[in-house]
Amino acid sequence: MPTTASASVLFVCIHNAGRSQMAAGFLRHLAGDRVEVRSAGSMPGDRINPSAVAAMAELGIDISDQQPKVLTADAVQASDYVITMGCGDACPYFPGKKYLDWKLDDPAGQGVEAVRPIRDAIERLVEGLIAEIDAEQQDN
């Protein structure tokens, strides 16, 4: 029997090259197909931050095949959770969505050593998000 995603999550940061890509990588890795994962940026960069790719690879998570994507109202509307990371007011608001703002340093221009603590903070936040999604599913 096919598994359907219990929720969909959109991670948004400015360039969609570091924080949101690491968060999406963790959620895909930890939740599998239980959660539909999207990421986007208000001003997407040209490529994924190589330090973010390297930091995730250290944990066995490959995000090297991802590309920055532009934030669209459709992506927000199609998501149950919208997690912002420093994109300010660029994210459109739709009633009925759960919005969370994660305060994280921007890994842009940083080396792997500076990205590791950001990566680790994202991992903890994603684990908490999965627990919240699972608890909500049990309540329904």
Side-chain angles (χ1 to χ4, degrees), residues 9-55:
V9 176
L10 170 64
F11 294 105
V12 183
C13 67
I14 296 169
H15 300 296
N16 189 223
R19 294 168 289 189
S20 57
Q21 292 287 354
M22 288 190 287
F26 274 123
L27 188 55
R28 276 189 219 87
H29 179 75
L30 297 171
D33 58 3
R34 292 184 306 132
V35 178
E36 185 178 5
V37 182
R38 297 179 179 87
S39 70
S42 52
M43 295 175 12
D46 296 330
R47 64 186 177 116
I48 302 296
N49 179 332
S51 295
V53 171

Side-chain angles (χ1 to χ4, degrees), residues 31-125:
D33 58 3
R34 292 184 306 132
V35 178
E36 185 178 5
V37 182
R38 297 179 179 87
S39 70
S42 52
M43 295 175 12
D46 296 330
R47 64 186 177 116
I48 302 296
N49 179 332
S51 295
V53 171
M56 294 298 284
E58 290 177 349
L59 301 180
I61 301 171
D62 183 8
I63 61 169
S64 65
D65 62 341
Q66 298 299 308
Q67 289 297 316
K69 295 166 273 317
V70 69
L71 175 64
T72 65
D74 288 344
V76 176
Q77 196 162 14
S79 301
D80 300 312
Y81 292 80
V82 179
I83 315 291
T84 58
M85 304 172 195
C87 67
D89 297 330
C91 198
Y93 179 82
F94 290 96
K97 309 295 174 192
K98 179 150 191 174
Y99 289 85
L100 300 171
D101 186 47
W102 291 353
K103 305 286 187 214
L104 297 159
D105 291 334
D106 188 349
Q110 304 292 323
V112 176
E113 290 186 9
V115 172
R116 284 184 190 119
I118 300 167
R119 173 203 65 196
D120 296 344
I122 291 170
E123 182 178 26
R124 289 188 296 276
L125 288 164

